[in-house]
Amino acid sequence: MQKHFFLETFGCQMNVVDSEQIVDLLRAIDYLPVDRPEAADLILLNTCAIRDKAERKVYGHLGRYKPLKAAKPGLILGVGGCVAQQQGEKLLKDLPYLDLVFGTHNVHRLPELVQAAESRRKRGHAVEFLDRETRLRLFPRRSGGEAVTRFVTVMQGCDNFCSYCVVPLVRGREISRPSGDILDEIRELAAAGVREVTLIGQNVNSYGVGLPGELSFARLLTEVEGIDGIARIRFTTSHPKDLSDELIDCFGSLKKLCNHIHLPVQSGSDRILRLMNRGYSRAQYLDRARRLRQARPDIRLTSDIIVGFPGETEEDFADTLHLVEEVRYADIFSFIYSPRSGTAAATLEDPSTAGERQARFDRLLKVQEEISRDWRERDAGATLEVLVEGESRQGQGQLFGRTTWNRIVNFAGSRELIGQIVPVRVGRVYRNSHLGRLIAD
Ligand code: SAH
Ligand code: SF4
Ligand code: F3S
């Protein structure tokens, strides 16, 4: 009888890419994907531990799947990703209905764990960190499939140890992938019809560190620019401290590089930036933002901001608000600080109350909402180049794609346009997307 799996993915692009590998691995052992947990013989959660809320969500979902096991005794339930990495065997101890746990360096061992659970009803876990050589050997290679856009991993792990952040603990040390492999993969993707690649890593700007003689990230982008078929290049995430002049210049010289950069600032206060161990000052950040705009005047910046880092004063927070007003981000992702066990900041005293932190968060959102709206409305009436990614969920005959600064645009058109860059005149602008009309050539 055909076996089925249901996979839920939380967190960042790293997990999205790992989940693509999970799908490939499970297909190879005769499992097909389904979109309802009730229809599955195997349920997997690929988890995120970045904030307490993300982690609690995992336990919430597991609790919901527990009764399914009572109804279907053969059902296998597994947890992977960053919560699995951090909790390890403890998850199996705490949750007796769980069958398997696999960490961020052990995705490749999933088939073995599933098969053990199937045949011997044996519970298992694999959460040890692997050495550099093994990780480089195991770097997954993925195929293009039907996709128009693809993530391509250029590095894994993080060595920055920002004081609030769990990523270095759950993803391990930073390693860069050899550029030859990256470029081969992108050539294959291009041959399969992929038009846009996003190079991903926690800190792509330090690409090549630890690989002697390797290309710089800017040189790598230049090589990708030369690959036929690829029309657009993006990358994420950039760390401001490692944003080199050479990389800034790419925004002036590389035509395929999209005019958007996600450059998380986290805070506008020098005092807090130091406590966060971010390695740059407010002035250095502002200077880099200015130089990016010099290199590409129409570039749009987006950012991540943490509100309520331990000891943040009203004055520190005002610095953040002013920075946001000065940079005028197209959008920001803001988060209330969440203490993560094992990180340096987890031990810091915090005199502020939850109410104060929430009030600051709301003030920040309000300031940014005005600015975001202004950016969105600049698009109204403009004709923009849209890379068509697929049919939109709204309904028949509707397509969706993205502008070069990463806004989603919905418009009417035929399926043949998927994969092409077409001119679309923006009509209505909504919070998360634009509605436009295709302009005939
Ligand atoms: N590598 C990326 C960020 C990865 S995590 C970078 O350095 O920019 C994504 C975002 O989550 C971070 O930018 C930060 O704003 C937020 N974040 C990370 N740890 C957090 C914590 N403990 N509490 C609240 N927000 C956090
Ligand atoms: Fe976390 Fe800092 Fe690394 Fe980003 S650079 S993943 S915020 S430690
Ligand atoms: Fe979350 Fe792990 Fe990414 S903690 S943000 S899924 S690296």
Side-chain angles (χ1 to χ4, degrees), residues 50-51 164 202 237 264 266 278 304 306 335-336 338 340:
I50 198 81
R51 286 168 291 273
Y164 51 81
Q202 290 295 357
T237 303
Q266 312 298 359
R278 286 291 286 179
D304 295 344
I306 297 178
F335 311 101
I336 293 180
S338 167
R340 308 314 290 139

Side-chain angles (χ1 to χ4, degrees), residues 10-12 14-15 47-50 82 166-167 170-171 202:
F10 304 87
C12 69
M14 315 301 141
N15 270 7
T47 63
C48 173
I50 198 81
C82 296
V166 76
V167 170
V170 291
R171 290 274 160 179
Q202 290 295 357

Side-chain angles (χ1 to χ4, degrees), residues 93-108:
K93 288 209 186 86
D94 292 350
L95 307 172
Y97 55 92
L98 199 60
D99 297 287
L100 60 96
V101 171
F102 60 103
T104 55
H105 287 192
N106 292 281
V107 175
H108 64 290

Side-chain angles (χ1 to χ4, degrees), residues 12 26 39 50 63 81 94 116 124 130 146 177 240 294 296 377 400:
C12 69
L26 291 177
I50 198 81
D94 292 350
L130 305 179
E146 301 277 279
R177 183 179 180 196
Q294 243 166 23
R296 182 78 74 90
E377 280 170 5
F400 81 97

Side-chain angles (χ1 to χ4, degrees), residues 367-398:
V367 166
Q368 180 59 39
E369 183 41 36
E370 287 282 302
I371 301 169
S372 295
R373 187 182 315 133
D374 184 54
W375 282 108
R376 292 198 293 269
E377 280 170 5
R378 282 189 208 187
D379 290 350
T383 300
L384 302 175
E385 304 225 300
V386 171
L387 172 58
V388 189
E389 292 184 26
E391 287 180 300
S392 78
R393 273 182 238 152
Q394 264 88 338
Q396 291 183 336
Q398 287 285 314

Side-chain angles (χ1 to χ4, degrees), residues 243 245 248 286-296:
L243 184 69
D245 291 344
I248 292 175
L286 288 172
D287 181 56
R288 280 169 203 167
R290 187 183 51 77
R291 283 192 282 140
L292 280 163
R293 285 192 167 126
Q294 243 166 23
R296 182 78 74 90

